Amino acid sequence: MNRKELSQNRWKYYLMLEKRFVESIEFVELHEDNFDAFSNGYALLIQAIGAELDTVFKEFCGFNTTDRKTVADYAQYISNTPDIKNQKISVQEYDIEIQPFMNWDITQPAQSLQWWGAFTDVKHNRYEQLKQAKQENVLNILGALYLIEMLYLKKITDGTDEFDVFDESSNLSLIHI
């Protein structure tokens, strides 16, 4: 994959998912006090973002997108990414910082990421797991997708004269810090 393909095939879709999350803020303000608010709309977002993240994980790690892989497979590769656990994202307009991979334990990769657990719980049993479809989990899984796409772009453009930023910026004013 090259920069143009990543932008067209992944980043534009990311921006669409992010836009849907921004639209939800009209109803539930993005704020730590609302992080436990849950809804079917958040369930839909978690499922869509999680499915896209699964595909981007595969590509970033060099797996075939048709391979059946788990977050444990991704952890083996991504844990070698320098300081992934300390990577921060700022939601500038809302004065919020998140670290989507902060608690990632390579020995328990699925259990140590609350937002990944929410994705799989909601995917397999939305009705009983609806409380996992909360604002905090949507923000963190969206942040994880953002971060992996930023790292993927850097990986693709490393050693080239291409820019390591996308032409269109985040609608949520996310910044990798």
Side-chain angles (χ1 to χ4, degrees), residues 15-29 42 45 94 171-172:
L15 291 174
M16 185 186 72
L17 293 168
E18 184 188 69
K19 181 181 174 193
R20 299 293 185 271
F21 180 65
V22 169
E23 289 168 356
S24 79
I25 296 169
E26 291 180 33
F27 305 101
V28 181
E29 185 69 16
Y42 286 154
L45 279 170
Y94 294 91
N171 300 310
L172 194 54

Side-chain angles (χ1 to χ4, degrees), residues 23-159:
E23 289 168 356
S24 79
I25 296 169
E26 291 180 33
F27 305 101
V28 181
E29 185 69 16
L30 181 58
H31 192 277
E32 289 179 11
D33 290 347
N34 294 329
F35 275 4
D36 286 332
F38 62 94
S39 71
N40 279 311
Y42 286 154
L44 182 68
L45 279 170
I46 284 176
Q47 290 178 71
I49 296 165
E52 180 67 2
L53 181 57
D54 189 46
T55 300
V56 175
F57 271 152
K58 286 178 187 175
E59 291 175 353
F60 182 75
C61 295
F63 298 125
N64 188 317
T65 55
T66 60
D67 291 346
R68 291 186 58 93
K69 297 293 180 184
T70 68
V71 72
D73 297 313
Y74 311 140
Q76 297 301 316
Y77 181 91
I78 295 172
S79 65
N80 296 323
T81 301
D83 218 17
I84 190 80
K85 294 169 98 175
N86 294 319
Q87 299 282 325
K88 293 181 184 176
I89 297 170
S90 173
V91 188
Q92 291 190 312
E93 185 177 333
Y94 294 91
D95 198 28
I96 294 173
E97 279 187 10
I98 59 171
Q99 289 178 261
F101 294 97
M102 181 174 59
N103 297 318
W104 208 6
D105 179 351
I106 194 165
T107 64
Q108 297 181 326
Q111 297 82 3
S112 59
L113 295 174
Q114 179 181 339
W115 49 265
W116 188 265
F119 163 59
T120 57
D121 288 349
V122 169
K123 178 174 72 171
H124 294 295
N125 195 345
R126 181 186 50 81
Y127 179 73
E128 288 187 16
Q129 298 295 327
L130 189 59
K131 287 186 178 181
Q132 294 300 312
K134 59 185 184 174
Q135 188 181 69
E136 180 180 26
N137 286 331
V138 177
L139 178 61
N140 276 289
I141 198 168
L142 184 67
L145 178 59
Y146 174 87
L147 180 59
I148 294 299
E149 289 201 17
M150 291 296 120
L151 295 173
Y152 194 12
L153 181 61
K154 287 190 184 306
K155 179 180 170 181
I156 288 171
T157 58
D158 190 41

